[in-house]
Amino acid sequence: MKPWYQRTLRWAQTNLTEKDPARYDADWWRDHWRRTKVQGVIVNAGGIVAYYPSKFELQHRAEFLGDRDLYGEIAALAKEDGLTVLARMDSNRAHQPLYDAHPDWFAIDADGNPYRAGKMYVACVTGPYYRDFLTGILEEIIERSAPDGLTDNSWSGLGRDQICYCPNCRDSFGQELPPRVDWADPVYRQWIRWSYDQRLAVWDLNNEVTRRAGGPDCLWIGMNGGDVVAQSKRLRDDVEICKRASIFMLDSQWRHDESGFQANADTGKRLHGLLGWDTLIPESTAMYDAGVPTFRLGSKPEPEARMWALEGFAGGIQPWWHHIGSVHEDRRQYATAQPLFEWHAQHEDYLINREPVATVGLLWSQRSVDFHGKDDPQTTSLLPYRGWVDALIRARIPYLPIHEIDQRLAVIIVPNVGVLTDAQSEALTAYVEAGGRLVVTGESGLYDEWGDRRDESALAGLLGVRHQGKRLEAGQVDWETYGAHSYLRIEDRGIADGFGDTDLLPFGGQLEVVEASGAAVTYVPPFPIYPPELSWMAEPRTDVPVVVLGERTAYLAADLDRLYAQYHHPDHGRLLANLVRRAADGDIPLQADGAGVLDCQVYRQGDAVVLHLVNLDQGGAWRGRVEEFTPSGPFTVRLKASGRRARFLVAGGEAEVNERDGWITVEVARIADHEVVVVE
């Protein structure tokens, strides 16, 4: 039989509160496990709060625990039902008595004051708290209950904006610690990389302990976020973690307004690109009302929770329901998981062990998030990436997030990845020389691996541009000033597909000033918005390049990717998509016609093609929670594949497939939330 981390597809977590030992209804929750077809449970064990009578007196027991072993009782029932059991830890902080007994275990600031989170004290990852105290608790839990593995919610300690000056850090760092957060300070930048290594050391130590105590499959798996910026701020190295992870416990619970449901599928694809497509990625999907604002005991609207999970399925993520506390007066949250999990159980064979079909790669770099993004990685790194995600989805162009250069792809997009190492730059050059196509934006390649600006972009020669060392910034967006009232002029109609009868596109962003021999799009500088009598172009044409096209390259000097993530102006998204279509030169494996926003993911599984279609036209006119579904369709979908019949895993039934010239055509009548089409 496969080990638990390769066969447990659906998970449950009732995140216990300190009051739950006095009110936990084991029979009810056991029935709920069965109703929702889960195969594994995550049960609070120890760390900040212990739910069993620990021999470690300074491990704080739940207030209403008494001498009860609630963790052990739940774990035993789960094992009786044949479920995988993960003992949950939450271990980065502690209560006053533990701090008083061992103040040297905790993180301190430059003045010697302890870092606190509310009333608790934050432990230092380099000290005895992690090295000795927590490892002893892990051994105790394994000895008492023999869980299949352990997972930890907040395992990585302080983030990168707080420097610990405890003696353990001073000794381990090997030189004077940086006096403050300062990206211009080489010592701070070295501290960043050293801090990543300390978290990896925690990962390695905990796995050494749990495997020694519980056997080779008794893994310790720290929970991790799905957002690269969030991971960076917590000093968690996604690339190195994924090298170590046999399963990835993804703690990414809800949709953010600025990124949308599509961020979840992107996260799944990005992580599978590091883990491989046969590694499972269970995701903690909140049944409670996570979001802005958050209500821990309220029910998230069912369509909101469902859409987040469905985009996860499309990106290769497995479901994991999550409630806070064991008793709720808002009982609506109990109804959300069952239909979702039942559908997943019925069709699980088509949702795992498959390979994506895409010809476009979207490059991401955690190092660039750190050393190019610096104090504002959201604006500098994440928004350009998200802009491309949204533009590709809107254009129905399948893509894959990539961390390394994949020669098999027809097109690679480099979205303002300022930090490119020499090896990455050489790999991109070799990729183009071997026939690949490249679309590059903004400051990509202008900084070395430590974030120091180069004299010239490492990709300048490849792209046929020369950076002039300055940027045209957008000004205020208001009526009295007009710094953002700028435009783009289309010089080459070859990239103007879909624009219709216009020579101008709105801009309003910032522009890297480059020198080039020619430009497909040029810049029109700002002119007044108000009063309207003054709203005319004093300088209607310049030779300032915005888009520079080479035989196999395209360079976009304007931050249209960042703007599209923020404002979703259709012209910006269309120009991004046109650059990719030009570069792909027909090598895109999907065409989908029909009105609406449809996220399309294509997979190959043996002789079958599995197509996920997620309807993102949900509450499009509103921010905040989705209350109901807005059906879309019909759609005509064409795939580069072969087959004669298609099955619909959501609507049910089969349909004939038209096959011609290496393409198949499938008609999809209606999509409420999602559809999965299997062509065999």
Side-chain angles (χ1 to χ4, degrees):
M1 184 170 66
K2 291 181 179 179
W4 66 267
Y5 47 84
Q6 293 178 356
R7 57 180 164 80
T8 311
L9 305 183
R10 290 172 298 281
W11 291 83
Q13 181 184 4
T14 307
N15 200 324
L16 302 174
T17 69
E18 290 201 68
K19 191 174 182 180
D20 282 316
R23 62 182 186 174
Y24 184 83
D25 187 338
D27 291 336
W28 192 94
W29 284 104
R30 196 176 188 184
D31 285 341
H32 198 56
W33 298 342
R34 294 164 180 161
R35 284 192 296 270
T36 54
K37 310 292 185 183
V38 299
Q39 299 167 310
V41 295
I42 298 167
V43 187
N44 294 65
I48 295 175
V49 178
Y51 289 88
Y52 69 96
S54 173
K55 67 184 180 184
F56 295 92
E57 294 183 3
L58 290 174
Q59 185 183 197
H60 175 80
R61 290 192 189 185
E63 183 176 348
F64 292 86
L65 183 68
D67 292 326
R68 186 179 181 186
D69 183 359
L70 180 58
Y71 156 72
E73 294 169 18
I74 298 172
L77 291 175
K79 289 183 179 182
E80 284 182 24
D81 286 352
L83 303 181
T84 299
V85 174
L86 287 188
R88 177 194 180 273
M89 304 289 292
D90 201 335
S91 57
N92 76 326
R93 58 190 70 171
H95 293 76
Q96 187 79 42
L98 181 54
Y99 173 77
D100 289 342
H102 300 283
D104 55 314
W105 291 4
F106 294 86
I108 60 174
D109 64 21
D111 296 323
N113 300 313
Y115 284 106
R116 301 186 67 172
K119 294 181 179 180
M120 297 185 191
Y121 295 82
V122 179
C124 178
V125 297
T126 67
Y129 177 88
Y130 276 84
R131 189 172 59 245
D132 301 322
F133 182 68
L134 281 179
T135 54
I137 291 173
L138 298 179
E139 290 174 335
E140 178 184 51
I141 291 170
I142 293 170
E143 290 169 2
R144 288 180 62 93
S145 62
D148 294 282
L150 298 96
T151 185
D152 199 317
N153 182 50
S154 300
W155 58 277
S156 54
L158 290 175
R160 73 183 194 187
D161 293 333
Q162 295 175 303
I163 301 170
C164 176
Y165 295 90
C166 76
N168 300 297
C169 286
R170 292 183 185 277
D171 292 343
S172 177
F173 188 54
Q175 58 179 308
E176 284 296 314
L177 289 159
R180 67 188 67 86
V181 173
D182 180 3
W183 290 97
D185 181 1
V187 177
Y188 176 73
R189 290 181 287 184
Q190 293 169 17
W191 176 85
I192 289 286
R193 296 310 308 170
W194 171 83
S195 296
Y196 276 119
D197 290 341
Q198 303 316 300
R199 276 73 185 168
L200 294 172
V202 169
W203 189 288
D204 293 340
L205 173 62
N206 287 346
N207 272 283
E208 177 188 331
V209 170
T210 58
R211 285 173 164 161
R212 183 177 67 244
D217 290 331
C218 186
L219 308 180
W220 177 94
I221 316 101
M223 296 183 189
N224 285 279
D227 182 292
V228 180
V229 168
Q231 287 288 90
S232 292
K233 288 184 174 181
R234 290 170 174 81
L235 296 165
R236 300 170 180 171
D237 187 329
D238 271 349
V239 175
E240 290 300 323
I241 287 171
C242 286
K243 289 178 181 178
R244 292 160 164 78
S246 299
I247 187 172
F248 195 96
M249 306 304 292
L250 177 59
D251 190 9
S252 183
Q253 298 187 12
W254 52 283
R255 171 185 63 119
H256 297 255
D257 280 335
E258 65 272 17
S259 57
F261 295 112
Q262 60 269 31
N264 209 22
D266 180 80
T267 291
K269 293 189 295 182
R270 185 180 67 82
L271 292 172
H272 276 302
L274 298 174
L275 295 160
W277 283 87
D278 56 351
T279 300
L280 299 177
I281 306 176
E283 177 180 57
S284 176
T285 302
M287 301 294 105
Y288 68 87
D289 197 8
V292 179
T294 289
F295 298 97
R296 287 288 207 181
L297 303 183
S299 176
K300 183 183 290 185
E302 188 269 346
E304 180 76 21
R306 182 175 176 85
M307 284 296 300
W308 185 248
L310 293 177
E311 272 285 10
F313 295 175
I317 289 171
Q318 291 73 53
W320 156 13
W321 57 249
H322 181 190
H323 297 273
I324 300 295
S326 68
V327 175
H328 304 93
E329 294 179 81
D330 188 345
R331 294 172 294 279
R332 295 173 294 179
Q333 61 190 279
Y334 301 145
T336 300
Q338 185 171 344
L340 191 67
F341 280 54
E342 285 178 339
W343 184 88
H344 188 278
Q346 183 180 357
H347 302 293
E348 64 182 43
D349 289 344
Y350 295 104
L351 304 176
I352 59 173
N353 298 325
R354 58 200 186 172
E355 292 291 330
V357 177
T359 56
V360 175
L362 185 58
L363 189 68
W364 66 275
S365 165
Q366 194 165 0
R367 185 153 198 141
S368 190
V369 165
D370 285 330
F371 297 115
H372 182 218
K374 298 178 181 175
D375 292 322
D376 192 9
Q378 187 84 14
T379 301
T380 303
S381 303
L382 194 55
L383 284 180
Y385 179 91
R386 283 180 176 165
W388 276 105
V389 169
D390 291 355
L392 294 169
I393 288 173
R394 182 76 204 197
R396 297 167 186 167
I397 298 174
Y399 75 94
L400 289 175
I402 59 169
H403 182 260
E404 297 179 338
I405 310 310
D406 189 338
Q407 296 283 347
R408 297 169 295 178
L409 294 167
V411 182
I412 291 177
I413 304 165
V414 186
N416 203 42
V417 182
V419 168
L420 289 175
T421 65
D422 291 341
Q424 286 175 310
S425 303
E426 291 167 5
L428 286 168
T429 300
Y431 166 78
V432 173
E433 290 175 347
R437 307 294 184 101
L438 203 59
V439 179
V440 179
T441 75
E443 292 187 291
S444 295
L446 269 172
Y447 300 84
D448 67 16
E449 62 179 329
W450 291 104
D452 292 323
R453 190 177 174 102
R454 295 182 167 113
D455 293 334
E456 183 53 89
S457 168
L459 302 177
L462 188 64
L463 300 172
V465 300
R466 186 172 184 81
H467 285 262
Q468 300 302 293
K470 59 182 179 179
R471 175 188 300 160
L472 299 177
E473 300 278 1
Q476 291 291 323
V477 183
D478 60 34
W479 286 93
E480 296 300 330
T481 59
Y482 50 91
H485 190 220
S486 57
Y487 289 79
L488 307 177
R489 181 171 295 281
I490 301 171
E491 308 284 0
D492 183 346
R493 302 302 301 183
I495 60 168
D497 183 49
F499 286 121
D501 190 13
T502 183
D503 297 322
L504 289 175
L505 304 177
F507 178 34
Q510 67 185 35
L511 180 72
E512 297 299 316
V513 180
V514 299
E515 179 185 313
S517 59
V521 177
T522 54
Y523 175 65
V524 177
F527 56 94
I529 292 176
Y530 185 86
E533 291 82 358
L534 301 182
S535 194
W536 56 277
M537 293 181 184
E539 192 176 1
R541 175 169 260 110
T542 72
D543 60 358
V544 177
V546 173
V547 174
V548 179
L549 301 178
E551 182 182 354
R552 292 193 295 274
T553 63
Y555 173 68
L556 176 62
D559 64 338
L560 295 187
D561 42 13
R562 181 185 293 113
L563 292 175
Y564 192 62
Q566 290 176 295
Y567 306 116
H568 287 107
H569 195 293
D571 286 347
H572 295 167
R574 187 172 291 115
L575 183 56
L576 296 176
N578 284 353
L579 292 176
V580 173
R581 292 194 189 279
R582 171 191 176 271
D585 194 24
D587 193 2
I588 295 174
L590 171 77
Q591 297 174 4
D593 297 323
V597 183
L598 202 62
D599 192 359
C600 306
Q601 312 288 345
V602 187
Y603 296 93
R604 189 169 297 281
Q605 189 184 62
D607 294 331
V609 174
V610 181
L611 172 64
H612 282 254
L613 303 171
V614 181
N615 176 14
L616 293 178
D617 271 347
Q618 310 292 355
W622 304 87
R623 294 172 71 88
R625 277 69 159 176
V626 171
E627 297 183 43
E628 60 185 354
F629 295 124
T630 306
S632 293
F635 297 99
T636 299
V637 181
R638 299 181 69 233
L639 288 165
K640 272 188 179 179
S642 60
R644 294 187 177 181
R645 299 198 65 81
R647 283 201 297 135
F648 300 104
L649 301 188
V650 178
E654 296 187 354
E656 290 187 2
V657 172
N658 296 318
E659 186 170 1
R660 183 177 179 181
D661 299 330
W663 289 79
I664 60 173
T665 302
V666 182
E667 301 291 338
V668 182
R670 183 177 184 273
I671 302 176
D673 48 12
H674 77 134
E675 183 58 87
V676 179
V677 185
V678 180
V679 181
E680 294 179 294

